Amino acid sequence: MTAPTHATPILAPYHQDPFTLLAHHILDHHAADLSRVVVLLPQMQSASRLRHCLLDVARQHGHTALLGPHISTLRHWIERTPANLRPTHGHVLARHATELMLAESLAEHPGLLGGENPWRLVDSLLQLFDELTLHAVDLPDDLEHFTQQLLTAYGVTSKVSGLGREANLVHTLWRAWHQQLQAEGAADANSAYVHKLAASLDHTSVDMHFYLGDGLDLTPVELAWARRLAGQGRLTWLIHGAPDSSVQPTDYHPDAPLISLFNKLEILIISNNNIDNITYFINSVYAPPATPLSLRAQAFAQQNPVSPAQDSLRVFTAGAPEQEAQAIDLQIRSWLLEGKTNIGIVTEDRRLARRVRALLERAEVAVQDDVGWALSTTSAASVLERWLQALEEDFACLPLLDVLKSPFVFADQERTGRLATVYRFEQDIILHENVMRGLARYRKHLSYRQARLPASFAASAQAVAQLLDQLEHAAAPLLLFMAGKRHKPEALLNALWESLHRLGITEAWATDAAGQSVLRELQAMQHALAGRTLRMDWTDFRVWLARTLERANFFPAANNASVHVLALRQTALMRFDAVVIAGVDAAHWPGSADDSPYFNSAVRRELGLPTPHDTLTRRYHDFRRLLQSAPQVLITVCREQQGQLVRASPWLEMLQSFHQLAYQHNLEDTTLARLLQDTRTQVFRSDTTAVPQTMTYPRPSVGAALVPGTLSASAHQQMIDCPYQFFAARCLRLEPVEALRERLQKSDYGERVHRILSAFHRGQAGLPGPFTPVLTQESRADAERCLNQISHAVFAQDLEDNFEHRGWLKRWLAVLPHYLDWQIERAQRWQVADCELDMQRAYPDIELKGRLDRIDHDTLSSAIIDYKTGAVLPTQDEVESGEAVQLPFYALLAQASAQPVTRVEYVAIKSEKISSGACLEGEALTHLAHATEQRLITLMQALRSGAPLPAW
């Protein structure tokens, strides 16, 4: 390759380290004074490695330390230059202010929206305007002229309605935006940058020498700046790659971006046949498609009987996303054990990156994520989002609990006590009362529960009430703005600040890295409002806030890790000891290049803007370069995502097909797949105690401290059904957390029926009833009215939560007449004595406890009723055989009552009738209750003595 003397580049072939060549060149030519050298890199992630390369080369020259050179990116260097803006550009608008200005322009031209979300248009238009500015495209003043220009580019001869709207939208807002900037004496950041770029050379010392790395992404104005500097003999290009001279810039080929750059720089390309075998192999894979892949593969294999790629390129195909992450984790740890200290993970899949980082950190491997992640996904930003969601949904419990459990909320309060109060609020009010939203409803059910449990719940009730008061106080500033009216954004932001301050969030954010980033974004939003007249309703404000946090990236602090996670575009000029190219599926590699909704490729080319072809070939080039960025490269792909087959990247498929055709092997890494099956490669705990290997069923013994002190009927039944389940749930207390249900289930329906009948017969606080007259046919109508009132009151809360619950109410109302018929008949012998009665009975090794649905009395004895609303009831045989223990258990509980229990029964409450189920009475009840008691005492004694529990 040759070029004019003033533009002679440093050409680093794909297999060489460009920074090593650059370091030698800098020290060979500028060792006397590196302070006059500026190195401009495509991104700063590689700056530290360049410094190490410079120091290594300096030591080879006998130097032990270095001062300089300056290392920066082109944009950062230019923005630091002292060049002043033109007088008409008094100040540079921040991004937030630029967006607001464009939103104001959209508000002044409502006819241009066409039903589109204005903020979505702001995003896409600013992206287009940035491109137009950076590529020095100035739209004509006349709309007709611009429309004709687009018609020509689109290749149509008459106006099209969609095209006319596109031209009108872009042209009108482009002119309005620039006129507003000029009227305010301001400049957007990109216009200021372009101006500074043009003026910077007049303010740069003539003895400064610049080295420009890569250069594939330079815009026309940046390229003109570089060419002018090179014409003065003050710039040297660093170019990574050796392009095929037969490739054209318009070809879909990884060398096309290099060819385009060389043409712009007027560098003559001369094919270089002196390349290593792996470069020759990859060039053959991705050669221009004039020759079929199979013929290229056969010809290559004839010249190279042994694959040059077998030791450096490997592919792992995973069957599931977790397996792919585990394979990458295992490979990274293996490389670290080999002594590699510069390992890259390059991926476009952020979910995969997060999972790999979690696995490596579990293995105590430090990872530096150079991509960062959306600020909105951090816990600091999430608490803000969940707080606003809670307010918008009338203090909905799910987002509200997330807020209350966050370490950022009320951080000045003692954490253990605060979380205990939150726990009581969640368990007692939200879950037990099944209340899903509404401060008033939380308070109402808090009072209900306090009335039922006046002594035991008093302290908790007071703490929960104070918590609800704090939430109401914190919400007050924002609730004023949620009525749909439009307000000044300053007022909305001020209300947000005040609300967050009352929650203690802003103070907690100040001590957290991600929280500080959120604070900076909110402050930037506030500063951007100066001079703006735009008014927002709550929805507009929420969109503005959400997109701000979504667009901002959070970068964790640098930790000097050996493993770096990077995006594809961050890898220019990079070199690694080993690299994983992860998640190489077609959705990400190449992915979609249609980022802008404006103009097709032909129009963008006519205007001088980058086309989708330019974007895709740049990614293609980056992928091809990555294949030689390290001595060892692992490519991973997952063939199934969420039950759907996923196609691998066509670039990967071409590589594997070529190698398969040439060497009957597709580079698949079977060793890594085998190691993944070996449990010794997995990191799952920190201790080193061997796990005993056994094929027998578990028979655990329960330590005395784990034996429950009380036993309910359901726990007793669980012990009989499955001792091992009893051990897990009752001894180890591994019961799942009760879930809040948006829709009623059969168990919820049954609980409400129990409550209704208890209120009807004996009364309950906060409900109509009880019905005190004797229930007869004469009083039946009054009883039905009372029962209806109670029923509607009990189901009223459910209807507030979900209108679909009216079906459950309707179902119960259909049962109600049958229940009254059954109760009138039963009242001929039995009278209701009590309902929902909590009882206990103590034994030497255990205390029994339970709640009896209902106790009836006649003149001499008692009867216990257990209501059943479900479809399946224990059979008489199951009860009499001792397998279903609930009825005899209740008889044992009630033995100390005033009248002896002579009958225990299930009453089935179904839509078509009320009927008795299994029943025990007389001698059968006495015998079975005694047998159940003796078995229980024996089991508990064995449990406490360490007898093993089987899992049958």
Side-chain angles (χ1 to χ4, degrees):
M1 306 177 190
T2 62
T5 304
H6 61 260
T8 301
I10 302 172
L11 301 172
Y14 286 117
H15 65 283
Q16 290 187 3
D17 181 3
F19 281 172
T20 299
L21 294 179
L22 177 61
H24 278 289
H25 192 281
I26 289 174
L27 291 173
D28 286 345
H29 291 80
H30 308 281
D33 187 5
L34 292 181
S35 66
R36 315 308 294 172
V37 174
V38 179
V39 181
L40 301 176
L41 300 176
Q43 72 284 318
M44 288 303 293
Q45 282 84 1
S46 55
S48 61
R49 187 170 174 278
L50 175 57
R51 293 188 184 98
H52 282 101
C53 288
L54 285 165
L55 188 56
D56 288 342
V57 175
R59 286 168 179 161
Q60 296 173 20
H61 285 68
H63 305 291
T64 58
L66 275 180
L67 289 175
H70 304 284
I71 301 176
S72 183
T73 63
L74 174 57
R75 179 136 190 170
H76 187 249
W77 175 262
I78 293 300
E79 288 177 344
R80 289 176 54 205
T81 61
N84 295 320
L85 291 171
R86 292 188 297 271
T88 54
H89 291 165
H91 62 281
V92 179
L93 292 181
R95 186 70 177 184
H96 288 302
T98 307
E99 293 171 345
L100 290 171
M101 180 181 288
L102 186 53
E104 285 180 357
S105 297
L106 278 168
E108 293 171 2
H109 299 83
L112 297 176
L113 289 175
E116 286 280 347
N117 182 300
W119 284 106
R120 175 183 253 173
L121 277 177
V122 166
D123 281 335
S124 60
L125 282 168
L126 272 184
Q127 179 184 341
L128 175 64
F129 291 175
D130 288 343
E131 287 184 311
L132 293 172
T133 300
L134 292 173
H135 289 78
V137 179
D138 192 12
L139 302 187
D141 293 335
D142 181 51
L143 174 60
E144 191 67 28
H145 182 193
F146 179 57
T147 305
Q148 187 57 50
Q149 184 180 1
L150 294 185
L151 286 171
T152 303
Y154 275 115
V156 296
T157 56
S158 59
K159 289 186 178 181
V160 181
S161 60
L163 188 149
R165 180 180 178 274
E166 179 182 48
N168 187 28
L169 174 70
V170 172
H171 188 272
T172 300
L173 292 174
W174 170 260
R175 307 309 299 181
W177 185 54
H178 277 277
Q179 288 169 4
Q180 186 67 24
L181 286 169
Q182 187 175 12
E184 295 186 15
D188 67 287
N190 284 315
S191 296
Y193 167 65
V194 169
H195 173 64
K196 267 198 169 185
L197 188 71
S200 62
L201 296 185
D202 297 330
H203 296 80
T204 304
S205 176
V206 293
D207 60 350
M208 298 284 288
H209 193 86
F210 292 80
Y211 288 86
L212 185 59
D214 192 48
L216 295 179
D217 292 324
L218 293 182
T219 64
V221 292
E222 291 171 331
L223 190 63
W225 174 89
R227 288 174 61 87
R228 179 182 169 191
L229 200 60
Q232 299 171 3
R234 299 166 54 199
L235 181 139
T236 301
W237 295 84
L238 174 64
I239 298 176
H240 193 192
D244 185 335
S245 59
S246 66
V247 174
Q248 298 298 316
T250 55
D251 291 342
Y252 183 60
H253 189 275
D255 286 344
L258 282 176
I259 297 296
S260 178
L261 178 63
F262 280 27
N263 288 346
K264 294 172 184 175
L265 299 179
E266 301 176 3
I267 298 175
L268 179 64
I269 305 170
I270 302 175
S271 296
N272 184 0
N273 296 320
N274 185 23
I275 57 176
D276 63 344
N277 283 344
I278 185 65
T279 302
Y280 182 33
F281 168 78
I282 297 174
N283 286 348
S284 299
V285 172
Y286 300 114
T291 306
L293 186 72
S294 58
L295 296 181
R296 298 204 307 269
Q298 293 171 11
F300 185 87
Q302 290 175 356
Q303 298 179 26
N304 300 272
V306 177
S307 168
Q310 62 184 2
D311 295 327
S312 60
L313 290 176
R314 292 175 297 125
V315 178
F316 179 81
T317 302
E322 182 64 15
Q323 185 187 32
E324 182 178 16
Q326 290 173 348
I328 298 169
D329 163 57
L330 177 57
Q331 182 61 81
I332 297 297
R333 289 189 283 117
S334 176
W335 280 337
L336 289 170
L337 291 174
E338 294 172 10
K340 293 178 170 53
T341 59
N342 178 26
I343 301 172
I345 302 173
V346 183
T347 183
E348 299 291 282
D349 187 339
R350 293 305 299 157
R351 179 177 297 180
L352 175 61
R354 287 194 297 269
R355 183 57 185 147
V356 170
R357 188 176 72 246
L359 290 174
L360 289 170
E361 289 175 350
R362 182 178 68 177
E364 300 182 356
V365 174
V367 178
Q368 178 63 45
D369 193 331
D370 293 321
V371 182
W373 50 88
L375 184 59
S376 61
T377 63
T378 64
S379 58
S382 295
V383 70
L384 168 58
E385 175 64 22
R386 295 300 272 169
W387 173 237
L388 298 181
Q389 287 178 2
L391 299 189
E392 291 164 346
E393 298 171 23
D394 190 20
F395 295 89
C397 61
L398 295 180
L400 186 60
L401 287 174
D402 286 345
V403 170
L404 292 174
K405 294 176 183 179
S406 168
F408 296 104
V409 175
F410 303 133
D412 58 330
Q413 301 176 9
E414 193 272 320
R415 181 167 173 78
T416 302
R418 177 170 64 84
L419 290 180
T421 301
V422 174
Y423 178 79
R424 292 266 59 93
F425 173 53
E426 179 179 12
Q427 295 296 317
D428 298 332
I429 307 304
I430 295 175
L431 292 175
H432 188 274
E433 301 286 329
N434 206 59
V435 182
M436 285 172 281
R437 59 180 49 82
L439 280 182
R441 295 183 61 205
Y442 292 141
R443 288 188 172 113
K444 179 172 69 176
H445 285 270
L446 179 64
S447 65
Y448 290 165
R449 189 163 182 81
Q450 192 171 8
R452 292 196 301 269
L453 307 168
S456 59
F457 191 59
S460 296
Q462 183 179 3
V464 171
Q466 290 175 349
L467 178 64
L468 295 177
D469 290 343
Q470 289 176 311
L471 292 173
E472 185 175 32
H473 178 64
L478 286 172
L479 293 178
L480 298 172
F481 294 93
M482 295 187 181
K485 295 181 180 179
R486 305 187 74 81
H487 307 272
K488 291 182 178 180
E490 295 94 328
L492 288 157
L493 271 175
N494 290 337
L496 179 62
W497 279 111
E498 179 61 24
S499 179
L500 297 177
H501 172 69
R502 293 182 182 185
L503 285 171
I505 291 178
T506 51
E507 292 77 6
W509 276 346
T511 62
D512 177 79
Q516 292 167 7
S517 296
V518 177
L519 285 173
R520 284 193 294 270
E521 290 299 322
L522 292 178
Q523 289 163 355
M525 292 172 67
Q526 200 152 25
H527 294 154
L529 293 173
R532 303 271 61 86
T533 60
L534 184 69
R535 297 177 75 88
M536 298 181 181
D537 60 18
W538 178 253
T539 302
D540 292 336
F541 176 70
R542 287 286 277 118
V543 171
W544 183 39
L545 176 63
R547 61 194 293 280
T548 295
L549 298 180
E550 181 67 30
R551 188 182 58 230
N553 260 21
F554 173 69
F555 296 93
N559 54 16
N560 297 317
S562 298
V563 181
H564 286 251
V565 177
L566 305 114
L568 181 61
R569 294 297 291 270
Q570 293 176 305
T571 60
L573 305 178
M574 296 288 277
R575 188 78 178 173
F576 308 95
D577 295 339
V579 67
V580 177
I581 311 175
V584 185
D585 54 49
H588 296 95
W589 306 67
S592 173
D594 297 327
D595 295 331
S596 174
Y598 302 104
F599 312 137
N600 65 12
S601 294
V603 175
R604 294 181 67 84
R605 189 177 298 111
E606 173 70 21
L607 293 174
L609 300 176
T611 65
H613 168 82
D614 299 329
T615 303
L616 292 177
T617 53
R618 175 58 204 266
R619 293 178 190 170
Y620 201 177
H621 167 79
D622 288 337
F623 175 77
R624 185 261 173 271
R625 178 180 38 74
L626 267 180
L627 296 177
Q628 289 187 263
S629 63
Q632 289 183 277
V633 177
L634 172 67
I635 307 171
T636 71
V637 64
C638 180
R639 286 301 179 93
E640 186 173 322
Q641 296 274 4
Q642 299 178 343
Q644 300 292 323
L645 290 178
V646 175
R647 182 190 169 194
S649 166
W651 305 335
L652 174 58
E653 289 180 337
M654 192 181 301
L655 178 69
Q656 288 190 285
S657 297
F658 185 95
H659 201 272
Q660 179 71 44
L661 292 168
Y663 300 104
Q664 291 71 57
H665 185 267
N666 65 354
L667 297 172
E668 193 70 31
D669 191 340
T670 56
T671 302
L672 185 58
R674 186 172 64 254
L675 287 173
L676 276 177
Q677 304 304 314
D678 192 329
T679 57
R680 293 172 297 176
T681 67
Q682 300 173 15
V683 177
F684 56 94
R685 58 199 171 101
S686 58
D687 64 277
T688 57
T689 306
V691 178
Q693 299 296 317
T694 177
M695 292 301 293
T696 60
Y697 287 104
R699 296 175 64 87
S701 297
V702 183
L706 294 179
V707 177
T710 58
L711 205 68
S712 64
S714 60
H716 188 187
Q717 187 66 59
Q718 196 173 44
M719 178 188 290
I720 301 304
D721 291 342
C722 176
Y724 189 59
Q725 188 181 67
F726 173 83
F727 167 71
R730 308 293 174 167
C731 301
L732 297 183
R733 299 177 183 177
L734 297 180
E735 293 180 287
V737 176
E738 184 181 357
L740 184 69
R741 295 182 292 273
E742 291 282 348
R743 289 180 172 84
L744 287 178
Q745 299 175 359
K746 286 186 177 180
S747 59
D748 304 308
Y749 170 70
E751 186 271 333
R752 281 147 182 78
V753 170
H754 283 59
R755 192 175 174 204
I756 290 168
L757 295 179
S758 176
F760 177 71
H761 290 295
R762 302 300 296 174
Q764 277 207 7
L767 290 176
F771 184 74
T772 54
V774 177
L775 182 55
T776 62
Q777 288 295 344
E778 288 72 19
S779 63
R780 190 183 189 284
D782 293 335
E784 186 167 355
R785 279 192 293 273
C786 179
L787 201 49
N788 260 290
Q789 291 174 353
I790 297 171
S791 301
H792 281 89
V794 168
F795 276 94
Q797 172 193 336
D798 303 313
L799 297 178
E800 289 179 24
D801 291 333
N802 190 331
F803 193 59
E804 295 177 9
H805 292 165
R806 67 191 185 279
W808 289 105
L809 173 60
K810 184 177 181 181
R811 173 178 175 173
W812 163 244
L813 293 178
V815 175
L816 191 151
H818 301 296
Y819 177 79
L820 290 175
D821 292 341
W822 174 85
Q823 178 58 36
I824 290 172
E825 182 179 351
R826 183 175 178 83
Q828 296 177 13
R829 175 185 174 184
W830 299 100
Q831 288 76 46
V832 179
D834 214 336
C835 297
E836 300 291 310
L837 181 63
D838 290 320
M839 302 196 74
Q840 298 86 29
R841 183 175 180 185
Y843 287 87
D845 291 313
I846 195 72
E847 181 184 53
L848 306 187
K849 67 174 184 177
R851 175 173 293 183
L852 307 183
D853 290 348
R854 171 171 157 179
I855 297 181
D856 288 356
H857 288 170
D858 65 3
T859 55
L860 298 174
S861 61
S862 299
I864 297 173
I865 287 178
D866 191 67
Y867 299 126
K868 293 295 182 184
T869 56
V872 180
L873 276 70
T875 65
Q876 189 72 29
D877 287 343
E878 289 172 335
V879 172
E880 292 179 351
S881 67
E883 288 295 316
V885 300
Q886 190 175 23
L887 293 183
F889 186 93
Y890 286 156
L892 292 174
L893 274 178
Q895 276 186 359
S897 59
Q899 295 184 184
V901 176
T902 60
R903 181 181 176 91
V904 185
E905 64 183 309
Y906 293 123
V907 172
I909 299 178
K910 298 182 179 180
S911 57
E912 64 276 6
K913 65 178 180 177
I914 308 296
S915 60
S916 293
C919 176
L920 292 172
E921 59 182 335
E923 288 296 326
L925 173 59
T926 303
H927 169 74
L928 192 58
H930 178 72
T932 301
E933 181 181 52
Q934 293 304 308
R935 180 176 63 182
L936 177 59
I937 293 172
T938 302
L939 285 174
M940 294 307 299
Q941 289 174 343
L943 193 66
R944 291 188 180 279
S945 64
L949 287 173
W952 53 59

